[in-house]
Amino acid sequence: MSVLLQIVVPIFALIGIGYLSARRRWISEEGLRGMSGFVFTLALPCLLFNGATTPHAGGGGTALAFFAGCLATYALAMLLARGVLGMKLGEAGTFGLNASFGNTGMIGVPLVLVAFGHAGLAQLLAIIGLHSLILLPIGTVIGEVAHGGRAPVLKILRATIVSVLRNPIVISVLAGFIVYQGGIPVPEMLRYFLKMVGDAAVPAALFCLGATLVAFDARRDWPSALLCSGLKLLLMPLLVWLAGLAIGLPPLQMAVALIAAAMPTGANAFFLSRRYAAGAERSGATVLLSTLLSMATVTALLVLLEAG
């Protein structure tokens, strides 16, 4: 019960407030765009850079367990979509991405930070730094192959990787890694600035996430979206847990890897599916359904971790 009251309820309450604010038009579209810009170009990067440059244990094992389970889920979901559901390659690719690409930034960062502090956030950074760099190029290649290679695959792949590397969140993690590994000291004044701005990231990001959910509709494709949500929220954490056991992951690293694996589908999966016109409605429904259902599944996971 303490987990539910102290961690999950405040986080999902903020998401709900954001959703209600957008639904009732308490915040304008221009205001939401400005707030989202502040979160993604300044607040979250400051939070993540500060975390990356604070002394911490390496997150290599955490990332290894996470991506082993993540890529296995991607492959299994694609096989299910192709062999059982009879989807075309493009739709199967986005189905697999929906089942494996989680919202590690907007929900994962607040959850891990509240539940495990900066030690947990340092482990999560190893995942965030590679998350989009690994999954989005795979989704791009599958989408291009499904469209008959109308555009040069290597050119599209290169453009996708460059776009990801320009992402402020990815830049902040990579820059923090370079500064930390290079032993470059961070001045106290800068550290205070990073903390002050970064503290605004968690509530603002959760509010923006709730507001963006208004754009998604789960009524049309809810059966397949529900199946995909189950793969994302249940199968992927199970596979990450098995991978963590296989490599002997310590408790904190295991907990962070599991929380990251249990995150609902991220909106980037929807944007990629819309780009290739491959199941965009299903992808949007999965983002919405998995976010709603994750309140229960994440709570259960945190209770299990607390009991263990």
Side-chain angles (χ1 to χ4, degrees):
M1 184 58 71
S2 62
V3 169
L4 179 63
L5 294 177
Q6 296 176 17
I7 301 176
V8 178
V9 169
I11 284 175
F12 282 90
L14 262 174
I15 294 173
I17 291 171
Y19 181 88
L20 186 62
S21 297
R23 174 67 69 184
R24 300 299 297 270
R25 301 189 184 279
W26 293 339
I27 182 171
S28 66
E29 293 184 8
E30 293 79 7
L32 181 60
R33 280 198 296 269
M35 191 173 181
S36 298
F38 166 74
V39 169
F40 288 104
T41 61
L42 185 60
L44 267 178
C46 282
L47 175 67
L48 297 177
F49 181 83
N50 191 34
T53 55
T54 300
H56 59 271
T62 308
L64 177 61
F66 175 85
F67 285 108
C70 176
L71 294 176
T73 303
Y74 200 145
L76 290 172
M78 278 197 65
L79 290 173
L80 174 65
R82 290 282 284 169
V84 179
L85 302 179
M87 295 182 187
K88 296 179 180 179
L89 179 60
E91 291 190 344
T94 57
F95 188 86
L97 190 63
N98 293 337
S100 56
F101 190 93
N103 197 335
T104 55
M106 296 183 78
I107 303 183
V109 168
L111 267 172
V112 168
L113 194 57
V114 173
F116 307 108
H118 284 279
L121 178 62
Q123 298 299 314
L124 183 63
L125 292 178
I127 294 171
I128 292 177
L130 297 171
H131 196 222
S132 295
L133 279 172
I134 291 176
L135 295 182
L136 293 184
I138 293 175
T140 299
V141 169
I142 293 172
E144 287 298 326
V145 171
H147 277 67
R150 291 181 301 182
V153 174
L154 289 179
K155 181 179 179 180
I156 296 295
L157 182 59
R158 183 169 58 251
T160 300
I161 294 174
V162 169
S163 176
V164 170
L165 287 173
R166 289 176 178 171
N167 185 308
I169 292 177
V170 175
I171 291 173
S172 64
V173 174
L174 295 180
F177 176 80
I178 293 171
V179 168
Y180 182 73
Q181 295 299 322
I184 303 172
V186 178
E188 285 302 316
M189 182 176 65
L190 177 58
R191 182 73 73 187
Y192 179 77
F193 172 83
L194 293 170
K195 184 180 184 306
M196 180 176 62
V197 179
D199 284 346
V202 170
L206 293 171
F207 181 92
C208 290
L209 170 61
T212 58
L213 291 179
V214 172
F216 301 119
D217 189 347
R219 289 173 293 183
R220 177 180 173 183
D221 292 285
W222 71 265
S224 57
L226 184 61
L227 173 61
C228 196
S229 297
L231 296 176
K232 181 68 193 74
L233 301 176
L234 300 175
L235 176 63
M236 184 168 161
L238 174 61
L239 295 179
V240 169
W241 178 67
L242 292 174
L245 286 181
I247 64 175
L249 209 58
L252 176 62
Q253 287 89 327
M254 176 72 88
V256 173
L258 288 173
I259 291 297
M263 290 299 94
T265 302
N268 279 340
F270 165 74
F271 296 137
L272 196 66
S273 68
R274 188 170 61 180
R275 173 181 176 180
Y276 290 107
E281 294 84 1
R282 181 188 303 110
S283 183
T286 304
V287 171
L288 179 58
L289 273 179
S290 63
T291 301
L292 296 175
L293 293 173
S294 66
M295 182 172 182
T297 56
V298 169
T299 299
L301 178 57
L302 285 170
V303 169
L304 288 174
L305 291 172
E306 186 179 49

